[in-house]
Amino acid sequence: MKHVIIGAGPAGVSAAEHLRKLDSTAEIVIIGDEAEPPYSRMAIPYYLVGDIEEAGTWQRKNGKHFKNLGVKLIHDTVVSVSPSSVRLKTGKRINFDRLLIATGSRPVQPPVRGLNHPAVHHCWTLADAREIAKRMQKGSEVVLMGAGFIGCIILQALVERGVDLTVVEMEEHMVPRMMNAEAGAMIKRWCQARGVRIITSAHVIEVAQQTESEKTDVIISTGEALSADLIIVATGVRANLGFLEGSAIAVDQGVVVDRQLQTSIYGIFAAGDVAQGPDFSTNGTAVHAIQTTASQHGRIAALNMAGRKVLYHGSLAMNTLETLGLISTSYGNWQGVPDGDSAVAINADAYRYLSLQFDGDVIIGAIAIGLTDHIGALRGLIESRIKLGLWKDRLVEDPYRLMEAYLARTGPG
Amino acid sequence: MAWNQKVLRVDLSNGSCVNEALNMRWAKKYLGQRGLGSKYLSEEIDPTVDPLSADNKLIFVTGPLTGTCASTSARYSVVTKGPLTGAIACSNSGGQMGAELRMAGWDMVIFEGRSAQPVYLVIRDDKAELHNADGFIWGKTVWETESAIRAKHGDSQMRVAAIGAPGERGVLFSCIVNDQHRAAGRSGVGAVMGSKNLKAVAVRGTGCVEVNDPDQFMQATNAAKAVLAEHPVTGQGLPAYGTQVLMNVINQSGALPTRNARDVQFEGAENISAEAMVEKRATDNKPNLVRNAACFSCTIACGRISQIDRSHFTVKERPEYWKASGGLEYENAWSLGAANGVDDLEAITFINFLCNEHGLDPITLGATLSAAMELYDVGAISDKDCGGIKLKFGDARALVQMAEMTISGEGFGKEIGQGSKRLCEKYGHADLSMTVKGLEFPAYDPRGVQGMGLTYATSNRGACHVRSYTVGSEIMGVPVKTDPHVTEGKAELVMAVQDATGAFDSAGVCIFTSFGWTLEDLAAQVDAACSGEWTVDKLVEVGERIWNLERKFNLAAGLTGKDDTLPKRILKEAARTGPAKGMTCRLDEMLPEYYALRGWTKDGVPTTKTLNRLKL
Amino acid sequence: MQQCLNIDPGKCTGCRQCELGCSFAHEEFFSSSRSRIKVFDLHDQGLFVPYTCTQCADAWCMAACPVDAIQVDADTGAKTVDTGVCVGCKVCTIACPFGTINYVSATGKVAKCDLCGGDPACVKACPTGAISYIDSDTAGFSKMQQWVDKTAAQHNVQT
């Protein structure tokens, strides 16, 4: 049996390792298009801050890890996929019995004039990070386009380096895909209190070279021109699908997969950011470009590629973010459902926020700021669909009694 | 090390919270908690101040072992000038609060002045802030206050110490309750807090407590824990039965003050004893006791968690009291039960719940109610005074009603709220108040336990059992058995126990450890935790110094040796039944010897020589 | 034979000696918030629940870690955090459906129960036997499993 995996991100690596556990003799190949050993984008902010060296971002620390596992790493780019083989940029063709598409996502290129200016950098790959690290000098003027998850996790590095930072976010509040308006506003207030200028409900129209300086002007929708030495684009990501054109593999926002994470073509699976898989909260499908989904997808896909029929009950959207020391987390359907109750506690002075959304007496989603202890229990409550009974009312009175509720409803009580 | 060396000074008059260094010179002389708090108080206030004025101060203080793994190191004390007594007051509490204060990085919080508006203090590690309590928790119960603060500040682990509405109104035996059912209970420290317009103190500490020599400390604390585990009182009696293990023992000894100390034995004692608490009720086939519970780091776990019978008249219509909560300690079972001739276990458990919920000292409440019952019995008060309630000894419903009126401050409840001394004086029967220096005495009748007579008479905070618990020796034989009916040797015993207790009360541990621990056990732990040489001799000296410091404060506050006495009934009316039948308390045989041993004049004033010896 | 922690809340008095033992064993100081075992007080029910990692077989935290900072201790089976590798991204803390791996702001890393290398400090510190360290195939273990199963994040997968 020959397994080919496209993509050396967490989904691909997780799948390769599980495949090896399931089948000691199978041939396993990972094709990755970045020069580095498989690394984790989650670790990039810590590289930018200087907490770790590049090697600290590597998914596996032992340089011989993949060799020891008998997993072959190929540095190349897949340009097309057919039902039993893939073609590489170098022209080579690799056959497979089972294929996993785990090509992740790539940054969105917003429709902005002058975005090809040399002062403009994306923040996605390790190579991008190296460039940004070089250019974020103390006192330099930096415009960060986008206050989503990616934009926010690099704030710390920029502020620590002492740049003069302005953030421009198109939506009305920060981290719009993870936080509601109240929580987003709290994060904004926190960042502003730490000297970061945040402009929401505005977008960049043009990047233009200043005439008598090395700097550029970043012209935004309010009409203001922001002077910048460095422009970082973090306006979102999209599934890496381009190479699948003409392959007959069904795609939507991502590669559409079933509960076995198999695509519309038998024997071809998809996992991670690129996959549009079962969504726990909606019972439909969705792209959840997050670490936890990637590693879970990798495991489920591997099981099915190895011939175990395993059905995935869906990924739960979840993320945790640290913006200049303020930690926020969201889970599942944090927007809530019609007729669903909610439990919300806001402590603006202390930058603490907790919102629980209910469907009946089951928690379906949550947003937390400033709460880290036992936070994972929220996942347990949501994914296990634990009926809270009387505890629901107690949580409506004080959502911070979460662990009591969790233990009372699951524990030995 | 061991001390955090940090004091939080909160000036309620101007709203400031200031961090200042702990006076380490005093810490080395007074150790912590009761000793150190008393030192600060006596240095910082004029002993003659009105306890309920802005000039009084209120000090929350921990010991150097508080928050460590030393068994029972949960303790903190509240030190102030007491409103019931006009003497120095120091009330000791367990639960989680003291340890939380330490983990937040503090040794002590000093409240001074008076806030113009009701406020509460929130301490989150090194940050401390006063918040407005008006329209939020002012007027609320202790339990509501805890829930509301936790919800508002978004932290279910926050520890809260609060007063109830009675404390806000100045009920003189209001206490400060933390962790739902642990209290700085006696002397009316809650009334002082209320007089300052301070509703609650909420603490969250995510830091740590460090000790001087970690390895030595682990050795010492492990050895000391083994001592407690092996001792029959701390290893078996207290965990299984709590302090309530005493009810039948003390009753049989003829030392259970009954019906305002008219009697020394209660015919209904068995019904309100530890044994009754574990017996399944006929009504619901469940026992009153749910389980035992420990304060922070306590390996004894004497605490009681009880649940009231849902069909009982007290809670039948009130499901909010069907939950489990802090159950009866011996003192409370006595004060609410035997002292009033009531043997309804569920009724007194209910009043105990109310005391925790509203912040009242159940000893003084029960003892004052029993004085009122006697006033009623002798015709000094009437049905009309009592709002139609027939306040008869033994009537559980009347007892519950009057307790609730005390909480709400309605009608005669207002009189009860002043404590038995003021109540009995008002109705012309001062002798019927079973108090010393204005504080109601607890559950041991000095006619049956002579040493406790001297204990009550000389206690610096008024009648109190935990300043020198000679019951240990006289009844339980710990550490050595003495005859409860003789006075010989009791002066020496009382003084020794008073001094040792001073050391225990200042270290951060619970006095119950002294059933098993000697001062050597304590010294080994303190010495490993704290810088400086901490020997047994030094601890005794610290204890004696504290005792004399408190005495000095009281003398300066206007008390004299004449206040070292007992109610006439205890001195003149002989016990009518039991082993002590025919006896009174022979205080006059003990007190002069005690003064002499203390190095005090015959009027009870420490001599200059004594003060110099103790570096006072 | 691998062993596991067995917790019997019925025996717990809420004294928190386990928390103190844990923080002391790992940090040489006493701190409830730094303990990897935590006692919860369900006061109204008269119940104390010591709570920590059950070292679940398919460790969610380990699978979620983007930098391979969580490893299986070969001797004890404990999932342990290599703080030298952990970057503090907290993904494991939201991934663990039991809430038993936590971020420690003082260190910028996560912390979880590591079974103290096979001699758990909480077990030694517990005065009532509410926490014991037992062979994984005993009845106690299956009881713990049932508890774990109730928070059926395991049901994520149907086979």
Side-chain angles (χ1 to χ4, degrees):
Chain A
M1 184 68 92
K2 182 172 180 180
H3 298 287
V4 172
I5 297 166
I6 319 174
V13 167
S14 156
E17 290 173 351
H18 279 101
L19 281 169
R20 178 53 75 224
K21 263 189 233 165
L22 294 159
D23 183 346
S24 59
T25 60
E27 194 181 337
I28 303 169
V29 177
I30 298 179
I31 306 166
D33 67 355
E34 290 184 56
E36 298 79 9
Y39 68 91
S40 176
R41 302 209 202 288
M42 284 298 296
I44 286 180
Y46 305 93
Y47 164 72
L48 277 178
V49 169
D51 282 354
I52 51 171
E53 302 289 322
E54 274 196 24
T57 68
W58 296 352
Q59 290 184 56
R60 299 296 176 256
K61 300 301 188 258
N62 181 345
K64 291 185 180 159
H65 175 79
F66 294 99
K67 199 174 170 199
N68 291 345
L69 277 184
V71 172
K72 191 173 170 193
L73 292 176
I74 295 177
H75 175 216
D76 209 328
T77 306
V78 174
V79 292
S80 69
V81 175
S82 69
S84 62
S85 68
V86 296
R87 196 157 61 80
L88 305 181
K89 200 173 178 181
T90 50
K92 217 172 136 192
R93 187 170 280 281
I94 296 178
N95 295 324
F96 59 80
D97 297 307
R98 296 285 181 272
L99 176 70
L100 180 66
I101 300 167
T103 48
S105 43
R106 64 189 154 79
V108 170
Q109 192 82 0
V112 172
R113 282 195 300 276
L115 210 60
N116 55 356
H117 191 283
V120 178
H121 290 270
H122 285 281
C123 182
W124 188 239
T125 63
L126 205 44
D128 294 337
R130 281 184 210 119
E131 289 304 311
I132 292 172
K134 256 188 263 169
R135 287 172 165 78
M136 51 177 205
Q137 301 300 335
K138 187 174 165 56
S140 61
E141 293 177 308
V142 178
V143 172
L144 173 62
M145 291 171 58
F149 179 77
I150 304 294
C152 283
I153 54 176
I154 63 167
L155 283 182
Q156 180 81 34
L158 293 166
V159 168
E160 270 186 26
R161 196 61 72 92
V163 307
D164 179 358
L165 181 63
T166 304
V167 182
V168 182
E169 166 59 46
M170 203 158 75
E171 303 279 341
E172 284 171 16
H173 64 267
M174 291 177 73
V175 232
R177 263 156 290 285
M178 195 180 144
M179 293 284 132
N180 60 21
E182 278 168 336
M186 189 178 275
I187 296 173
K188 179 177 178 180
R189 198 161 51 81
W190 172 273
C191 293
Q192 285 172 329
R194 277 144 194 83
V196 179
R197 183 171 179 214
I198 313 261
I199 306 169
T200 46
S201 303
H203 60 274
V204 174
I205 292 171
E206 184 179 359
V207 175
Q209 180 69 46
Q210 288 180 6
T211 45
E212 290 182 11
S213 120
E214 307 246 309
K215 290 176 187 278
T216 52
D217 272 328
V218 178
I219 297 153
I220 62 172
S221 53
T222 59
E224 193 179 347
L226 306 165
S227 172
D229 298 292
L230 170 65
I231 298 123
I232 300 170
V233 183
T235 48
V237 295
R238 191 168 291 160
N240 243 331
L241 301 167
F243 69 103
L244 292 176
E245 265 174 47
S247 70
I249 295 173
V251 298
D252 181 19
Q253 298 297 305
V255 178
V256 180
V257 292
D258 62 15
R259 288 198 178 270
Q260 287 179 268
L261 301 189
Q262 189 161 235
T263 67
S264 56
I265 306 286
Y266 177 82
I268 299 183
F269 296 77
D273 287 17
V274 76
Q276 181 173 335
D279 179 336
F280 174 87
S281 296
T282 62
N283 227 8
T285 63
V287 174
H288 286 161
I290 50 178
Q291 171 76 20
T292 45
T293 296
S295 62
Q296 259 183 46
H297 271 183
R299 171 166 167 261
I300 306 285
L303 284 161
N304 285 292
M305 288 164 78
R308 315 282 171 89
K309 192 179 175 201
V310 169
L311 300 179
Y312 184 39
H313 84 165
S315 56
L316 179 68
M318 65 179 87
N319 223 338
T320 182
L321 169 68
E322 185 165 351
T323 22
L324 305 178
L326 185 67
I327 298 169
S328 54
T329 301
S330 72
Y331 277 109
N333 190 346
W334 49 262
Q335 301 92 335
V337 289
D339 304 325
D341 290 324
S342 61
V344 182
I346 308 174
N347 185 352
D349 299 342
Y351 290 97
R352 288 173 78 79
Y353 179 80
L354 182 59
S355 155
L356 308 177
Q357 298 297 330
F358 298 92
D359 185 359
D361 64 349
V362 174
I363 297 181
I364 53 165
I367 290 175
I369 296 178
L371 177 72
T372 58
D373 283 351
H374 312 287
I375 189 80
L378 269 170
R379 178 185 192 177
L381 285 168
I382 296 169
E383 268 195 325
S384 306
R385 296 196 169 94
I386 287 166
K387 289 189 166 295
L388 290 166
L390 287 172
W391 273 97
K392 180 189 159 185
D393 293 337
R394 292 176 191 151
L395 289 178
V396 169
E397 255 173 51
D398 180 4
Y400 286 98
R401 295 182 72 187
L402 200 61
M403 269 312 280
E404 280 177 80
Y406 176 87
L407 291 169
R409 300 304 296 171
T410 65
Chain B
M1 287 270 246
W3 297 277
N4 285 323
Q5 307 195 21
K6 257 173 75 182
V7 176
L8 175 64
R9 187 176 294 277
V10 180
D11 185 338
L12 293 159
S13 297
N14 67 21
S16 68
C17 299
V18 178
N19 168 5
E20 64 180 46
L22 181 72
N23 186 324
M24 285 307 294
R25 213 160 36 84
W26 293 351
K28 297 278 168 78
K29 273 175 84 176
Y30 293 92
L31 193 50
Q33 216 182 336
R34 178 173 146 205
L36 195 55
S38 300
K39 176 63 178 171
Y40 266 84
L41 188 82
S42 60
E43 291 288 335
E44 294 197 5
I45 71 165
D46 174 351
T48 63
V49 297
D50 173 356
L52 298 179
S53 72
D55 295 331
N56 194 5
K57 294 193 184 184
L58 182 76
I59 300 176
F60 283 44
V61 56
T62 63
L65 296 187
T66 307
T68 69
C69 75
S71 186
T72 78
S73 64
R75 316 302 296 189
Y76 76 102
S77 289
V78 179
V79 182
T80 188
K81 181 175 176 180
L84 272 172
T85 57
I88 194 163
C90 172
S91 291
N92 183 312
S93 181
Q96 313 292 325
M97 186 72 193
E100 201 73 25
L101 255 178
R102 291 272 286 158
M103 286 177 188
W106 305 96
D107 295 308
M108 191 186 303
V109 185
I110 302 173
F111 295 98
E112 49 193 40
R114 166 186 276 154
S115 173
Q117 292 295 319
V119 291
Y120 64 104
L121 178 72
V122 175
I123 299 174
R124 235 185 240 282
D125 294 324
D126 53 352
K127 283 196 209 94
E129 263 181 348
L130 289 167
H131 293 260
N132 181 23
D134 214 7
F136 172 45
I137 47 175
W138 196 250
K140 301 279 192 215
T141 70
V142 169
W143 293 350
E144 288 166 342
T145 297
E146 181 185 88
S147 304
I149 289 179
R150 285 178 172 179
K152 180 168 177 186
H153 294 275
D155 194 338
S156 60
Q157 301 295 308
M158 198 166 242
R159 306 299 175 189
V160 178
I163 57 170
E168 298 169 14
R169 277 201 320 272
V171 169
L172 290 178
F173 48 91
S174 301
C175 59
I176 301 169
V177 179
N178 56 279
D179 303 291
Q180 307 245 357
H181 66 114
R182 294 290 170 183
R186 302 226 67 198
S187 316
V189 293
V192 176
M193 189 155 152
S195 76
K196 298 195 168 304
N197 265 328
L198 177 65
K199 176 68 178 178
V201 180
V203 186
R204 177 71 144 107
T206 63
C208 63
V209 178
E210 291 181 81
V211 291
N212 209 29
D213 185 336
D215 291 337
Q216 199 193 324
F217 187 71
M218 284 316 266
Q219 266 178 30
T221 53
N222 282 335
K225 283 175 196 169
V227 170
L228 295 179
E230 282 152 24
H231 194 277
V233 175
T234 50
Q236 294 158 27
L238 286 173
Y241 296 113
T243 51
Q244 269 277 64
V245 71
L246 290 165
M247 183 61 76
N248 287 330
V249 176
I250 302 296
N251 191 42
Q252 281 151 22
S253 304
L256 188 69
T258 300
R259 287 173 286 268
N260 204 34
R262 277 179 169 177
D263 289 301
V264 294
Q265 288 185 307
F266 179 41
E267 62 286 357
E270 265 183 36
N271 299 336
I272 56 169
S273 66
E275 292 79 354
M277 285 171 74
V278 296
E279 214 167 276
K280 284 183 179 163
R281 295 178 288 234
T283 41
D284 61 358
N285 205 35
K286 287 181 190 161
N288 174 281
L289 184 73
V290 176
R291 64 158 310 115
N292 67 326
C295 293
F296 181 91
S297 87
C298 173
T299 55
I300 302 172
C302 74
R304 305 290 97 182
I305 301 293
S306 284
Q307 211 159 3
I308 301 166
D309 174 5
R310 291 180 184 190
S311 66
H312 191 263
F313 76 86
T314 49
V315 300
K316 209 164 151 185
E317 311 292 331
R318 290 194 271 188
E320 66 270 30
Y321 294 104
W322 293 356
K323 64 175 193 170
S325 196
L328 291 167
E329 310 288 334
Y330 166 62
E331 304 299 329
N332 309 352
W334 159 79
S335 66
L336 301 167
N340 290 286
V342 170
D343 68 351
D344 182 336
L345 181 67
E346 304 300 314
I348 61 178
T349 303
F350 176 67
I351 303 176
N352 196 59
F353 273 30
L354 293 182
C355 286
N356 289 329
E357 185 185 16
H358 299 279
L360 290 178
D361 169 10
I363 298 181
T364 291
L365 173 66
T368 305
L369 289 168
S370 76
M373 284 190 172
E374 186 158 9
L375 288 172
Y376 182 85
D377 194 66
V378 300
I381 57 173
S382 64
D383 290 7
K384 204 178 144 220
D385 291 315
C386 301
I389 297 171
K390 295 191 188 315
L391 205 54
K392 284 188 183 155
F393 278 122
D395 188 332
R397 283 176 194 267
L399 186 75
V400 170
Q401 275 180 297
M402 197 49 81
E404 292 191 307
M405 283 169 71
T406 308
I407 288 161
S408 64
E410 292 164 57
F412 196 68
K414 211 169 177 178
E415 307 296 336
I416 301 285
Q418 295 300 296
S420 73
K421 179 168 178 268
R422 289 162 179 81
L423 176 76
C424 294
E425 279 168 359
K426 176 165 180 178
Y427 290 95
H429 289 268
D431 289 348
L432 294 183
S433 168
M434 296 301 123
T435 51
V436 174
K437 302 184 178 80
L439 188 68
E440 288 69 15
F441 64 65
Y444 313 89
D445 196 302
R447 291 168 293 193
V449 205
Q450 294 290 328
M452 289 308 279
L454 185 60
T455 289
Y456 293 167
T458 59
S459 161
N460 288 321
R461 70 167 184 178
C464 168
H465 57 302
V466 287
R467 284 294 177 271
S468 47
Y469 194 67
T470 60
V471 173
S473 167
E474 296 179 271
I475 305 287
M476 299 155 80
V478 177
V480 284
K481 184 80 172 83
T482 53
D483 185 339
H485 300 151
V486 305
T487 54
E488 200 187 344
K490 293 298 162 61
E492 197 182 353
L493 176 70
V494 165
M495 175 171 148
V497 181
Q498 282 172 341
D499 292 349
T501 300
F504 279 88
D505 282 352
S506 300
V509 298
C510 175
I511 191 60
F512 289 176
T513 56
S514 66
F515 285 119
W517 291 350
T518 61
L519 277 173
E520 273 166 38
D521 295 312
L522 181 65
Q525 299 177 83
V526 174
D527 190 53
C530 303
S531 50
E533 296 272 303
W534 291 91
T535 59
V536 170
D537 287 349
K538 187 163 167 188
L539 288 179
V540 171
E541 189 189 300
V542 165
E544 190 182 1
R545 183 178 295 128
I546 294 165
W547 195 263
N548 281 275
L549 175 86
E550 292 171 340
R551 182 72 176 185
K552 244 181 88 183
F553 181 99
N554 285 351
L555 294 173
L559 279 79
T560 68
K562 289 199 176 69
D563 296 297
D564 296 340
T565 186
L566 294 168
K568 199 169 110 194
R569 173 166 287 166
I570 305 301
L571 297 172
K572 303 285 182 202
E573 293 176 25
R576 298 196 287 202
T577 63
K581 188 176 174 183
M583 285 184 204
T584 58
C585 178
R586 305 186 301 281
L587 180 64
D588 56 343
E589 294 173 12
M590 301 180 279
L591 193 61
E593 186 191 352
Y594 172 84
Y595 283 174
L597 283 168
R598 279 264 171 234
W600 295 353
T601 67
K602 61 182 188 337
D603 298 321
V605 179
T607 62
T608 313
K609 195 179 153 197
T610 300
L611 295 177
N612 286 342
R613 177 172 60 81
L614 295 168
K615 301 186 186 75
L616 275 164
Chain C
M1 169 63 59
Q2 279 196 342
Q3 291 184 292
C4 65
L5 288 176
N6 180 45
I7 291 171
D8 180 356
K11 288 185 181 166
C12 177
T13 62
C15 77
R16 299 173 193 274
Q17 279 288 343
C18 53
E19 296 179 2
L20 298 168
C22 178
S23 66
F24 188 84
H26 293 97
E27 322 288 350
E28 246 196 32
F29 54 59
F30 303 105
S31 170
S32 287
S33 73
R34 292 293 288 279
S35 169
R36 294 113 190 257
I37 185 166
K38 182 89 195 152
V39 179
F40 288 91
D41 178 2
L42 305 186
H43 181 79
D44 295 359
Q45 295 174 50
L47 188 68
F48 299 99
V49 187
Y51 189 64
T52 191
C53 174
T54 56
Q55 315 294 346
C56 58
D58 287 310
W60 302 88
C61 58
M62 198 166 76
C65 178
V67 293
D68 209 20
I70 302 173
Q71 307 286 348
V72 183
D73 181 305
D75 293 332
T76 61
K79 314 301 181 292
T80 63
V81 177
D82 183 341
T83 50
V85 175
C86 174
V87 295
C89 75
K90 306 169 220 53
V91 169
C92 57
T93 70
I94 61 166
C96 167
F98 310 103
T100 50
I101 182 164
N102 286 303
Y103 181 65
V104 181
S105 58
T107 60
K109 314 278 179 182
V110 296
K112 71 180 287 297
C113 171
D114 57 5
L115 295 176
C116 297
D119 188 17
C122 54
V123 172
K124 287 188 281 185
C126 178
T128 64
I131 312 168
S132 50
Y133 195 49
I134 58 165
D135 288 346
S136 295
D137 65 349
T138 59
F141 181 67
S142 59
K143 217 173 90 193
M144 290 303 285
Q145 274 311 113
Q146 284 163 17
W147 182 2
V148 167
D149 287 346
K150 273 195 247 176
T151 57
Q154 305 279 5
H155 303 165
N156 198 317
V157 166
Q158 303 150 1
T159 46

